[in-house]
Amino acid sequence: MTCSEFVELVTAYLEGTLPADQRAAFDEHLALCPGCETYLEQFQETIDLLGELPEESLSTPGRERLLEAFAQWRRTSGGDGP
Amino acid sequence: MTGTTDVRDRADEDDLVARLRAGDEQTFAALVDGWSGWMLRLARAHVPTPSAAEEVVQDTWLAVLEGLDRFRGEASLRTWVYRILQNQAKRRGVRERRTVPFASLTPDDQGPTVDPERFQGPSEPHPGGWRRFPEEWPEHAALSREVHEVVTTALTVLPTRQRVVVTLRDLDGHTADEVCDLLGITVGNQRVLLHRGRAVVRDHLERYFTGTPTRSEVS
């Protein structure tokens, strides 16, 4: 496996979807190549950073509008119905 | 994504839907609070501004209320809400940019994800080997404001489908199977979109950490 092949297989490796022989070749390359080891680490770090992006939330007026809409919907649809 | 309103269990979900239909405002408020985060992110993957995303989420909740009596539980509530969101987002996003069907890959999804110039050519000693190893990134605080901005900017330049997949997988923590189900794509295509999107974000981080230009700036 070359480095240029290695970098294209990183997600498949992390997902655990590589066939056994490719996975063995990937692990072997990883053990021997500091450049690809760094690449894999940075790829994992990228995924970690993506996961740390803060959650967004609705604006307060937006949230209130929805709760009003719900109250309105409850009145007009008669809630649970008969 | 494991909030208190995260419904995994069928019985929980039936109960939740029943309470909504009965007009239980607390249930609705909890659901809005619990789900609007991922809904905003996903809407943002389709429309260009935060305010447009907020409108998409608002419209989605209104459509959810309107359709609640028709909800039959064939898909999970979350999947059903997601599909409504996607329709709302597309309807709005279509004015800004052409929407691409998810099922097939496009030229955006092909070719190497790392600049081929960084690897040795066929006449060099190690064809396909790094010319120079990627530079180590400096130690950095988990998610500083600046790094946050680099990652957010990288997400905005991704082709829509890659951005949606990265958002679902890496920001919201959905599994590959869930994403395939939500988007109606194959496992293989999901992986391609995810890998390409992540590689672009890594490229932006590399440029930020090491001061090297990104591919798009070089070409």
Side-chain angles (χ1 to χ4, degrees):
Chain A
M1 181 178 295
T2 66
C3 303
S4 58
E5 289 163 353
F6 180 99
V7 297
E8 301 303 341
L9 295 175
V10 169
T11 291
Y13 177 78
L14 294 173
E15 303 263 273
T17 53
L18 282 182
D21 54 337
Q22 256 190 325
R23 183 171 184 92
F26 188 98
D27 278 327
E28 192 186 324
H29 185 99
L30 181 61
L32 297 172
C33 178
C36 285
E37 190 184 7
T38 302
Y39 189 86
L40 178 64
E41 280 168 14
Q42 292 175 349
F43 209 86
Q44 183 62 59
E45 191 171 347
T46 300
I47 296 166
D48 295 343
L49 288 170
L50 282 164
E52 287 172 32
L53 288 179
E55 180 116 313
E56 296 170 49
S57 58
L58 281 181
S59 67
T60 309
R63 182 179 183 275
E64 272 161 18
R65 262 200 306 281
L66 282 177
L67 295 185
E68 275 163 33
F70 185 77
Q72 174 73 25
W73 169 81
R74 184 175 51 184
R75 282 194 296 274
T76 54
S77 75
D80 214 3
Chain B
M1 60 172 278
T2 45
T4 47
T5 45
D6 194 25
V7 259
R8 294 279 155 190
D9 194 283
R10 212 66 205 208
D12 285 356
E13 183 168 303
D14 289 348
D15 183 48
L16 183 74
V17 172
R19 277 184 282 146
L20 285 176
R21 283 182 178 149
D24 180 352
E25 187 171 321
Q26 275 193 337
T27 299
F28 182 69
L31 202 58
V32 166
D33 293 339
W35 285 10
S36 291
W38 65 262
M39 290 169 70
L40 281 165
R41 275 175 171 165
L42 272 175
R44 194 71 178 83
H46 291 278
V47 298
T49 64
S51 64
E54 169 129 357
E55 282 174 43
V56 166
V57 173
Q58 291 268 348
D59 292 348
T60 301
W61 282 117
L62 297 178
V64 165
L65 289 181
E66 221 166 88
L68 196 59
D69 283 337
R70 292 192 305 274
F71 176 70
R72 291 286 169 263
E74 281 131 11
S76 74
L77 185 65
R78 196 177 169 115
T79 302
W80 183 67
V81 171
Y82 174 76
R83 295 209 171 116
I84 294 174
L85 175 82
Q86 215 184 13
N87 286 334
Q88 297 286 341
K90 274 186 187 157
R91 194 182 298 171
R92 199 169 286 259
V94 82
R95 283 184 234 135
E96 330 290 337
R97 55 170 90 87
R98 279 178 53 223
T99 48
V100 188
F102 258 99
S104 54
L105 296 178
T106 71
D108 277 340
D109 310 320
Q110 284 149 28
T113 57
V114 176
D115 185 355
E117 285 300 307
R118 296 182 68 173
F119 301 106
Q120 299 180 34
S123 57
E124 290 171 86
H126 301 289
W130 293 103
R131 287 222 159 91
R132 231 186 321 148
F133 290 160
E135 212 176 302
E136 302 265 350
W137 292 352
E139 290 290 319
H140 59 95
L143 189 68
S144 71
R145 200 185 163 73
E146 275 187 4
V147 172
H148 175 181
E149 223 140 81
V150 172
V151 175
T152 309
T153 304
L155 279 173
T156 62
V157 306
L158 289 181
T160 303
R161 291 152 353 112
Q162 291 177 22
R163 183 169 54 244
V164 170
V165 172
V166 169
T167 299
L168 285 165
R169 288 295 311 276
D170 293 339
L171 278 69
D172 292 330
H174 285 279
T175 65
D177 286 344
E178 286 169 340
V179 172
C180 291
D181 183 44
L182 283 173
L183 303 178
I185 55 177
T186 63
V187 178
N189 285 2
Q190 189 266 166
R191 194 173 55 240
V192 168
L193 293 168
L194 178 63
H195 184 70
R196 303 193 73 80
R198 286 170 168 177
V200 170
V201 179
R202 197 209 72 93
D203 190 50
H204 279 243
L205 284 166
E206 177 170 64
R207 179 187 177 237
Y208 169 74
F209 285 130
T210 67
T212 50
T214 55
R215 285 182 74 177
S216 47
E217 283 170 351
V218 172
S219 56

